[in-house]
Amino acid sequence: MLCRTKSFRFPLIALIKEFFVSDSIPPNPWKDDLLGYAALGETYTNLIQSIDDSKVISIEAGFGRGKTFFREAWASQLREAGEVVIEIDAQKSDHSGDPVVTFLAALMDALEPKEKSQWTQAIAKGTGLALGTAKLLASIAARKAGEEAVDGIETWLKSDGEESKLDEIVADFSEEASKTLTAQLTAQIAAERVRTQEMPTQMKALREALTKGKGTNRVVILIDELDRCHPEYAISLLEAMKLVFNQDGYVFVLIVNADHLERLAGSRFGAVTEDERYLDKFVDIRLQLPKSDETIGQAAFELVSKLPLGVPFGDGQDFTLERAAELAKELAPVSKLTMRQIKRLLLKVEVALRCYQEVPLDAPLLVFMAFQEEVLPGELSQEFLPRVRLSKKVVDDLQARQEKADPMRDEKIMERGLTDFIRKNCIELLKLPDDRYGLPDNKNYYDWAKIMFLAENYLKSHQDVLNAAHQLSAE
C-alpha cells in the first residue's frame, strides 16, 4: 500500500509543479528571433533604464530588416523589465491628421481604467490637458488661417475664463495691423504659453498617472512605420514630439528607415548638406539594427530548416532539407535581398512543398530557383548549385552537333558531351531512383542516357511547381 501511494504521489506532484511553473514563466519574446536581435534588445534596455530626463532615440534599419519584429519583441522585454511602454504604429494613425491627437490617445489608452475615466471626464469638460491641446491646435490653425477663418479664434484661445493679457500684449500692434496679423500674433503667443507652461504641467500629471505603482518614472514611447506615412504627417509628428511632448520622463524611440525619412524631408524642405541630416534636429541618440552576412544567412537557414519536404528527389545528402538550408544560408547574403524579400520567396517554396507532398521534389533546386527569380539575371552564380545547369538546351545543343558531325568519325558526341557535363556539374543525379529519369521503358540505360531523358523536364517541372505556388499565394 505504501509503495502504491509513493508511486502515485510523486508523478502527481511533478505534474502540479510543472503546470504552475510553466504557467508562471512569461513567454520568450525573442523565440522567433532569426536575426540575433535578442542580445541587442537587452543592450538597448540597459540604455533606456539609464535615462532620467527626456530623450529622443532612433533605431535605424532599412526596409525588410525586421524593424517591426524588433519593436514588438523589445516592447515585451521592456515591460518585463518594469518599464511603461506605449507602442504607436504611425502608419495606422496617419488618418487622424494630427500627431498631438495621436500621442494623447496612445497615452490615455494605456491608463488604468479608473485613471482613464478621470482623464476622459477632463476632456469632456474641456479642462486641463484637453483645453491646453485645444488651444495649441487653435494656435496652429490661426497661423495658417486666412482673413475669413480667424473670427472667433481669439475667444476660443481665452476660453478658460481667466483674465487674458493677450489683448494688452497686442493692443498697440492691432491698431496698425490687419485682423489676420493680429490673430496670428495672438495665436503664436498663446501657443508658446501652452507649450512652455500648461502642457508641461499636464504631461507631468499624465506621466505620474501612467507610472503609478510601476517602479519607474519613465514612459517609453516606441514609434514604428513613420517612414511609411504621408510626408506631411511624418514631419508634423516629429515636430510635435520634439516641441510639445519633449518633457522629462518621456523617452521617444523612433524605429525607422532613416534614409527614406531623409528623402521625405528633402522633398519638403529641400536638400541639405552632406554633413547635415534632418533627423539630427530631433534625435538625441542614433542607433541601428546591425546587418551582417552571417545573421541574414543564418536567418535564411533557420527558415528553410522548418520547411516540410515530403518526398526528396534523391536519397543522398545532396537532396535533403539540410542541404537546401545550407544553400539558402549561402545565397541570402550574396543576393543582397532584404529579410522581407527572403521570407516572401521562401514562402513560395513552402507553399510548393506543402501542395505537392506526394511529388518527388529537389528542395535545394527549388530554393535556388526562388532566389534566382528575385535577383537580376546573372547575379547568382550557378556554382552554388551546378546541377541547375542541366536543361533541355544542353541536350539539344549536343544533338545539333551530332547531326552536323561526320557519323563515321564522331558518332559519340552525345555520349562524350553528356558524360563530361555530368562529371563537372551533376554527378549526384546518377544516384536517383529510376522513376525520376522519365525513361520510356524498363530497359537498362547508360548513365549519360538517363541524364539525357531527365534533362527534358528536370528544370521545367520544378519551375511549374513554383509558378503554381506563386499563383496560389496572395503575396
Side-chain angles (χ1 to χ4, degrees), residues 243-290:
L243 299 177
V244 180
F245 293 91
N246 186 24
Q247 311 293 340
D248 283 349
Y250 287 92
V251 180
F252 287 87
V253 183
L254 305 173
I255 302 177
V256 66
N257 181 337
D259 291 337
H260 183 69
L261 195 59
E262 289 292 339
R263 287 192 291 271
L264 290 182
S267 67
R268 183 162 187 284
F269 299 106
V272 295
T273 60
E274 290 186 3
D275 59 346
E276 181 183 11
R277 291 169 65 90
Y278 183 76
L279 267 182
D280 292 338
K281 301 176 184 293
F282 301 98
V283 176
D284 302 306
I285 302 174
R286 300 185 65 167
L287 306 171
Q288 65 175 336
L289 296 180

Side-chain angles (χ1 to χ4, degrees), residues 166 169-170 173 180-190:
L166 291 176
I169 296 174
V170 301
F173 178 83
T180 299
L181 291 178
T182 301
Q184 289 175 344
L185 177 60
T186 302
Q188 290 173 15
I189 295 173

Side-chain angles (χ1 to χ4, degrees), residues 317-350:
Q317 178 65 28
D318 292 300
F319 303 97
T320 61
L321 200 59
E322 289 76 15
R323 174 65 186 108
E326 286 291 346
L327 180 62
K329 185 176 182 178
E330 296 167 0
L331 294 176
V334 299
S335 71
K336 305 303 180 184
L337 298 175
T338 67
M339 199 61 226
R340 183 178 290 121
Q341 290 172 310
I342 292 172
K343 285 183 177 180
R344 185 169 60 241
L345 70 87
L346 291 180
L347 177 60
K348 188 191 302 185
V349 176
E350 179 179 356

Side-chain angles (χ1 to χ4, degrees), residues 127-242:
T127 59
L129 182 61
L131 180 59
T133 304
K135 286 183 175 184
L136 191 65
L137 298 179
S139 305
I140 296 172
R143 289 202 301 271
K144 298 179 180 179
E147 192 75 43
E148 70 281 3
V150 297
D151 288 337
I153 285 182
E154 288 176 284
T155 301
W156 188 8
L157 293 175
K158 295 179 282 186
S159 61
D160 54 8
E162 297 176 357
E163 181 70 19
S164 175
K165 295 182 180 181
L166 291 176
D167 290 333
E168 298 176 16
I169 296 174
V170 301
D172 295 336
F173 178 83
S174 61
E175 291 181 2
E176 303 294 333
S178 68
K179 188 176 183 180
T180 299
L181 291 178
T182 301
Q184 289 175 344
L185 177 60
T186 302
Q188 290 173 15
I189 295 173
E192 188 63 17
R193 187 182 70 182
V194 169
R195 186 178 71 82
T196 60
Q197 298 177 28
E198 298 177 18
M199 287 295 285
T201 300
Q202 300 297 338
M203 291 301 295
K204 179 181 178 182
L206 186 53
R207 174 173 58 81
E208 290 174 349
L210 285 166
T211 59
K212 185 177 180 180
K214 301 292 178 61
T216 181
N217 292 320
R218 275 181 304 274
V219 175
V220 183
I221 303 175
L222 306 182
I223 304 173
D224 194 9
E225 304 289 10
L226 183 62
D227 39 37
R228 295 184 181 276
C229 294
H230 187 278
E232 291 290 336
Y233 181 78
I235 300 304
S236 296
L237 188 143
L238 287 174
E239 292 174 342
M241 176 190 68
K242 193 67 173 178

Side-chain angles (χ1 to χ4, degrees), residues 380-397:
L380 288 187
S381 171
Q382 293 180 334
E383 289 298 326
F384 285 104
L385 191 71
R387 65 176 178 267
V388 75
R389 297 189 176 108
L390 179 62
S391 66
K392 187 175 182 298
K393 185 177 183 303
V394 172
V395 176
D396 289 344
D397 288 346

